[in-house]
Amino acid sequence: MEKKKTVNLDLKQFGMVFALIAIYIIFYFMTGGINATPMNMNNLIMQNSYVVILATGMLLCVLTGNVDLGVGSYVALCGAIAAKLVVENGMSIALAFLITILVGTAFGAFNGFFIAYLDIPPFVVTLAGMLIGRGLTYTLLESKTVGPLPDAYVKVGAGFFITNKIQMGSGTLDIVCIIVAIVATALIILSELKSIKTRQKYGLAIVTPWQTIVKLAIIIAIVWFFFYKLARYNGIPIVLIIMAVIVGIYHFITSKTVPGRQIYALGGNAKAARLSGIDTRKVFFWVYTNMGFLAAIAGIVLSARNASATPKAGDGFELDAIASCYIGGAAAAGGIGTVIGAVVGAFVMGVLNNGMFLIGLSTDLQKVVKGLVLLGAVTFDILSNKKKK
């Protein structure tokens, strides 16, 4: 009987996950456990939802070897449009959201046209977009805050999914969260079994069983910790569902579809991609159009979270989105990176921001820490690639 081929788990794939856990534990002790309270876990999700949404779109730009510097301005502009339509024009929330998403997508297509078909460098185009978007936001809002927004609008960014609470100890427990945790656990195990079966089918080596069990145990423990904390608060935030849907769709696009693989090919070697028959102009166009689309969604979520639209909304979001991608393992030169990695990177930034806020670190020093983390992540990526070569 042929012996099954096994390999050790590639720990580098989970480097940022380990870093995220380590950072969280460090702040747990520094804050006396405040960062692990149900309320703070909920805040962590809501405060980083728009960064996760932007990081998902930004990853596609980074995979091409470029970035979009204007997303923070697009977020502000789209949030302003949605708020103005609802508050001052009495438009239905659904129609206002649709128009806002169309405007954001059009802004992205505007950038994509100059980048893809006029060969203007993305850095220049998106820098111009940043200035145009911010200027239009100030003009539209007349440098004023628009609000308060209706409860149905606010619910998108600060509301919760259907709950079914039971009394447990001194508090309550949301059964819906527990059911979701059970389903997530089952899906994780089934996905791993399917992966093992596929590798065996094609004669590929599988990860040593005990290492697979340890990996699954850690992932499932994180899932249960996360959903248990939400269950002890108000249940699943609506914005978490929005994030999960977006991340799931884009993970599928980048890993299982032809357009997704074309982005990787373009970032890996643009000339080779063109010679292989890939329409690189079309790829550039849809990547930046998509960034405008996701920025519009993030703008709606942010304005809903704040219950108002302000001229300075989204300030610096482009840096958080870009940093999330690089910290999550995306290569600065393009062609390497995953949506899940970008999400992990976004939560690394989120946990850092949250933890530094809870311990009372000044905003000036917070920027220093985030800058060092970003520099360290990119330096590690470049040095690792040099060693491989």
Side-chain angles (χ1 to χ4, degrees):
M1 185 176 178
E2 185 181 353
K3 187 178 180 180
K4 294 180 180 178
K5 294 182 287 184
T6 60
V7 292
N8 289 324
L9 189 67
D10 185 3
L11 295 179
K12 289 183 179 179
Q13 293 181 352
F14 302 94
M16 272 303 117
V17 176
F18 295 144
L20 175 60
I21 295 172
I23 292 169
Y24 189 85
I25 292 173
I26 289 171
F27 279 118
Y28 176 84
F29 289 107
M30 292 180 71
T31 63
I34 295 176
N35 72 330
T37 60
M39 179 184 291
N40 190 67
M41 289 296 293
N42 177 77
N43 290 339
L44 191 61
I45 293 297
M46 291 188 171
Q47 290 168 358
N48 292 282
S49 55
Y50 23 90
V51 178
V52 171
I53 293 170
L54 291 176
T56 302
M58 186 65 73
L59 176 74
L60 305 189
C61 299
V62 170
L63 288 175
T64 68
N66 303 284
V67 295
D68 190 331
L69 297 175
V71 293
S73 296
Y74 314 153
V75 165
L77 177 60
C78 291
I81 291 171
K84 291 273 285 188
L85 290 175
V86 172
V87 174
E88 297 183 4
N89 294 279
M91 187 176 290
S92 71
I93 294 173
L95 182 57
F97 284 178
L98 177 60
I99 292 174
T100 300
I101 290 173
L102 290 175
V103 171
T105 304
F107 212 112
F110 174 82
N111 288 340
F113 173 76
F114 280 91
I115 294 168
Y117 297 105
L118 297 184
D119 296 321
I120 309 298
F123 181 88
V124 175
V125 174
T126 58
L127 179 60
M130 177 177 69
L131 298 174
I132 294 169
R134 189 61 65 178
L136 289 175
T137 303
Y138 273 92
T139 302
L140 184 64
L141 294 178
E142 299 176 340
S143 299
K144 300 175 183 177
T145 297
V146 174
L149 297 173
D151 291 341
Y153 188 126
V154 173
K155 193 173 181 180
V156 173
F160 296 88
F161 189 59
I162 299 170
T163 58
N164 184 11
K165 296 182 179 181
I166 60 171
Q167 194 66 32
M168 183 176 177
S170 59
T172 59
L173 188 72
D174 178 38
I175 297 301
V176 176
C177 280
I178 301 303
I179 293 173
V180 171
I182 293 172
V183 172
T185 300
L187 290 175
I188 290 168
I189 294 173
L190 289 174
S191 176
E192 187 65 31
L193 291 175
K194 183 180 178 182
S195 176
I196 293 172
K197 188 176 180 180
T198 301
R199 295 186 71 84
Q200 288 178 332
K201 179 180 177 181
Y202 293 101
L204 301 174
I206 61 173
V207 176
T208 305
W210 74 266
Q211 293 181 359
T212 299
I213 293 171
V214 171
K215 181 188 76 171
L216 286 176
I218 292 173
I219 294 173
I220 292 171
I222 292 172
V223 168
W224 275 93
F225 173 79
F226 176 74
F227 279 105
Y228 176 75
K229 291 294 182 179
L230 292 181
R232 296 291 287 184
Y233 192 60
N234 285 330
I236 300 174
I238 290 176
V239 74
L240 177 60
I241 299 173
I242 296 172
M243 284 167 45
V245 170
I246 289 174
V247 170
I249 289 173
Y250 283 87
H251 175 66
F252 176 79
I253 290 173
T254 54
S255 61
K256 302 293 184 181
T257 68
V258 172
R261 305 318 299 175
Q262 288 178 342
I263 299 174
Y264 282 96
L266 172 59
N269 190 320
K271 186 176 180 180
R274 284 193 296 270
L275 292 174
S276 66
I278 296 174
D279 188 342
T280 55
R281 293 185 183 276
K282 185 182 293 184
V283 174
F284 268 124
F285 182 77
W286 89 259
V287 163
Y288 280 91
T289 299
N290 173 76
M291 189 70 256
F293 166 74
L294 289 179
I297 295 177
I300 291 171
V301 169
L302 178 63
S303 59
R305 164 75 173 160
N306 295 333
S308 63
T310 62
K312 290 190 176 182
D315 189 26
F317 279 16
E318 60 278 352
L319 301 181
D320 284 339
I322 294 168
S324 298
C325 294
Y326 290 141
I327 291 172
I336 298 174
T338 63
V339 169
I340 302 301
V343 172
V344 172
F347 277 107
V348 168
M349 295 292 289
V351 170
L352 275 174
N353 287 332
N354 181 259
M356 290 187 292
F357 172 78
L358 290 175
I359 64 174
L361 197 66
S362 69
T363 54
D364 298 330
L365 289 177
Q366 287 182 32
K367 291 178 180 178
V368 173
V369 172
K370 290 195 290 185
L372 290 173
V373 170
L374 174 59
L375 181 61
V378 176
T379 302
F380 177 79
D381 172 65
I382 292 175
L383 293 179
S384 298
N385 289 335
K386 284 183 178 179
K387 286 182 180 181
K388 289 179 182 178
K389 290 178 181 179

